[in-house]
Amino acid sequence: MTTNTNHQETPAPEAVRVAVVTGGSRGIGRAVSEKLAQDGLAVVVNYAHDEASAKETVAAITEAGGRAVAVQADVAEETEIAALFDRAEEEYGGIDVVVNSAGRMTLSPIADLDLTALDAMHRTNIRGTFVVAREAARRLRAGGSFVGFSTSVVGTQFPTYGAYAASKGAVEAMTLILARELRGRDITVNTVAPGPTATDLFLSGKTPEQIDQLAKTPPLERLGTPEDIAAVVAFLGSPAGHWVNGQILRANGGMI
């Protein structure tokens, strides 16, 4: 009796990569969530208040064949962010990409700035970034990536953006520092700084004339789209973008 030794074992399924996207239910965050899901990642869509939009984002991902779950958390609350990361690990087994797209923007001349608005904006944009980045630094698996968000206004320095640009300047300042602190972990840290992008956050409070003027500022003579920014984020979070580390990428169509 002979034994057939030419059989092939079924290969083990490839482990799914997992992303946590804060502010992932609307605007650029939603585009990032959907793009990462299209690229095969399971996505934890974080939201602060708008549960309906988060559910819509998850539905769009799952209807397209992707995997996603919505989880509420305030990025500035460390216990809530720890619970968010716990849920990601419980649901999908680990975390490979963290994108902190949650943000707040208030525009005002510095002389007229409401300090209550300043405190609220800095709580989300500075404290929130540090809370999420700290948890990412503790939990990301080898080969993982953290992507933060700044703004090209840090470079263009338009009037009325002083407080907002200051809050995002803090994000830029910590980017290379965190990348260096994660030496030996095979984890990248980068920040994307969009230019004028057609989102509700950007368009709110602007006249059609202001929007048209801003659209003509880049050499490409248009506003960016959430999908433009999502493609940059997806690259940074992918194996193809893993040699980019500690950088600020100004995704703005050619502005300063």
Side-chain angles (χ1 to χ4, degrees), residues 89-101:
E89 291 175 338
E90 292 163 3
E91 195 80 24
Y92 298 120
I95 302 168
D96 303 283
V97 178
V98 174
V99 181
N100 187 50
S101 63

Side-chain angles (χ1 to χ4, degrees), residues 45-96:
V45 179
N46 161 254
Y47 66 97
H49 306 292
D50 193 348
E51 183 179 9
S53 292
K55 287 183 175 179
E56 288 176 7
T57 302
V58 168
I61 290 172
T62 56
E63 287 169 9
R67 301 172 64 183
V69 62
V71 180
Q72 190 276 336
D74 178 345
V75 292
E77 291 293 338
E78 59 182 311
T79 56
E80 294 185 18
I81 292 302
L84 169 67
F85 279 66
D86 286 343
R87 177 68 185 280
E89 291 175 338
E90 292 163 3
E91 195 80 24
Y92 298 120
I95 302 168
D96 303 283

Side-chain angles (χ1 to χ4, degrees), residues 150-151 171-173 175-176 189-193 246-250:
S150 179
T151 170
V171 177
E172 296 194 6
T175 301
L176 181 56
V189 180
N190 293 289
T191 291
V192 176
Q247 303 303 306
I248 313 300
L249 277 74
R250 303 216 181 280

Side-chain angles (χ1 to χ4, degrees), residues 119-142:
D119 291 342
M121 184 164 47
H122 283 202
R123 181 180 182 276
T124 297
N125 296 354
I126 298 178
R127 178 185 167 92
T129 297
F130 272 80
V131 169
V132 175
R134 185 179 72 168
E135 206 64 36
R138 294 172 175 177
R139 308 244 201 160
L140 277 167
R141 294 188 283 207

Side-chain angles (χ1 to χ4, degrees), residues 3 119 138 161 233 237:
T3 302
D119 291 342
R138 294 172 175 177
Y161 282 84
V233 173

Side-chain angles (χ1 to χ4, degrees), residues 182-229:
L182 295 178
R183 174 184 291 274
R185 295 268 308 278
D186 191 26
I187 294 170
T188 64
V189 180
N190 293 289
T191 291
V192 176
T197 306
T199 65
D200 291 341
L201 180 68
F202 170 76
L203 297 174
S204 177
K206 294 183 175 66
T207 66
E209 292 76 20
Q210 289 173 321
I211 294 170
D212 185 60
Q213 181 181 9
L214 287 167
K216 292 179 179 176
T217 302
L220 296 180
E221 295 188 329
R222 67 170 176 86
L223 295 178
T225 67
E227 291 72 24
D228 289 328
I229 308 306

